[in-house]
Amino acid sequence: VSRKWQSSTFVQDIVLYAGSDQVEVVNNIDWHETHALLKAAFPLAASGNSATYEIPFGTIDRPTTRNNSWEQARFEVPALRWADLGNGIHGLSLLNNSKYGYDCKDNVLRLTLLRSPVSPDPNADRGHHTFSYALYPHAGDWKSAFTIRHGYEFNSTLTAMQVQPHAGALPPVHSFVVLNGEDVVLTAVKKAEDANGLILRFYEWAGKDGVAQIHVPAGAASATLTNLMEAAEGAPLQFTGSDEITVPVHPYSIMSVRVDYPRNEK
């Protein structure tokens, strides 16, 4: 879809891959406006009294009404990878990978794409832009539709690489770390600051108690829950199988596990 408006040009590729449950919109925009704000707006069949927005390590519900000055001031709110509007029976998640301003009034969910202020930067956003957002319609609410996973997948797409055929030492299916649990997301894997080990950080997003099973790289000597400063908290975790740890999780909790490995003295 190609169009022009005033001094700007817009080209959108609307992409639906075979077997996909979401529509991707790839935008190529040459933006040359002043004192204009560009939004993508979606009037939806499903609406509710509040919309849900992703925030760091969680979500927040904000009203879709404008009944008082507090609600009227929410003409633009921040979100990370997605916002969702629905009625519990069905809804739509609007995913993004580089645009973080949303608003929702009644049944219209909008995403801010470009601005053109003159202060403090008189050339802000002017020029050529390429970015994408995606529409993910779903049954049920955003939790049962696993919108949280769609947001991460849209922002961290897999990269396929073709190599020459070879036997290789790894099995046909292999992962460095596996986190099993529908309501937990692994957000970081890093070297421990003050130990010879790995820090695995994840969080619970659905508001439920449960357990997470983590399969870690082979050869671990021990595993311990830590705080965000990587200081150990509580007794060492027990391995329930070969290189597998079971960790209790609580609603909306941020968890860190330190997995220690023997030092290589060579």
Side-chain angles (χ1 to χ4, degrees):
V1 180
S2 299
R3 68 190 78 179
K4 285 183 174 291
W5 180 74
Q6 296 190 161
S7 301
S8 300
T9 303
F10 308 85
V11 179
Q12 292 180 304
D13 292 328
I14 301 173
V15 183
L16 179 61
Y17 292 101
S20 177
D21 53 6
Q22 66 188 38
V23 177
E24 184 175 343
V25 182
V26 182
N27 300 269
N28 286 279
I29 300 176
D30 196 19
W31 180 246
H32 298 284
E33 306 301 329
T34 299
H35 288 155
L37 183 68
L38 180 66
K39 286 179 173 282
F42 302 94
L44 305 181
S47 62
N49 293 326
S50 64
T52 303
Y53 303 86
E54 187 189 29
I55 60 175
F57 295 97
T59 58
I60 188 171
D61 290 342
R62 299 187 185 276
T64 59
T65 53
R66 298 293 186 268
N67 295 328
N68 53 56
S69 60
W70 293 89
E71 294 178 358
Q72 291 171 8
R74 292 171 179 158
F75 56 86
E76 179 96 342
V77 298
L80 293 182
R81 301 168 188 86
W82 57 269
D84 182 89
L85 179 62
N87 56 15
I89 301 173
H90 59 283
L92 181 134
S93 299
L94 179 53
L95 315 176
N96 86 88
N97 61 10
S98 61
K99 306 295 178 180
Y100 307 108
Y102 286 84
D103 72 269
C104 187
K105 182 179 180 182
D106 299 328
N107 70 320
V108 181
L109 180 61
R110 302 196 301 178
L111 174 66
T112 298
L113 305 180
L114 295 169
R115 306 181 307 132
S116 52
V118 295
S119 177
D121 180 1
N123 298 311
D125 278 0
R126 273 70 161 191
H128 185 262
H129 299 264
T130 300
F131 56 86
S132 301
Y133 57 81
L135 308 176
Y136 172 44
H138 58 79
D141 62 6
W142 66 268
K143 292 182 180 180
S144 61
F146 294 103
T147 290
I148 192 91
R149 292 189 178 181
H150 279 71
Y152 273 100
E153 290 165 0
F154 190 60
N155 279 261
S156 302
T157 56
L158 292 176
T159 301
M161 298 181 64
Q162 185 171 357
V163 298
Q164 294 297 321
H166 63 282
L170 295 176
V173 177
H174 177 74
S175 294
F176 184 70
V177 174
V178 179
L179 177 62
N180 291 320
E182 289 187 342
D183 55 341
V184 288
V185 173
L186 182 67
T187 61
V189 179
K190 63 179 288 289
K191 171 72 169 61
E193 296 293 325
D194 300 315
N196 189 55
L198 294 174
I199 295 293
L200 311 178
R201 185 159 292 132
F202 57 95
Y203 74 101
E204 200 285 331
W205 53 263
K208 300 187 298 184
D209 283 307
V211 295
Q213 292 183 322
I214 310 173
H215 191 275
V216 301
S222 62
T224 312
L225 282 174
T226 74
N227 58 25
L228 295 179
M229 299 300 292
E230 303 185 13
E233 292 187 336
L237 296 169
Q238 298 297 314
F239 284 84
T240 57
S242 177
D243 303 314
E244 189 170 275
I245 310 162
T246 298
V247 182
V249 295
H250 306 291
Y252 308 113
S253 57
I254 303 173
M255 312 288 291
S256 295
V257 174
R258 190 186 74 217
V259 184
D260 295 304
Y261 289 84
R263 291 188 179 274
N264 188 347
E265 302 298 337
K266 294 182 180 180

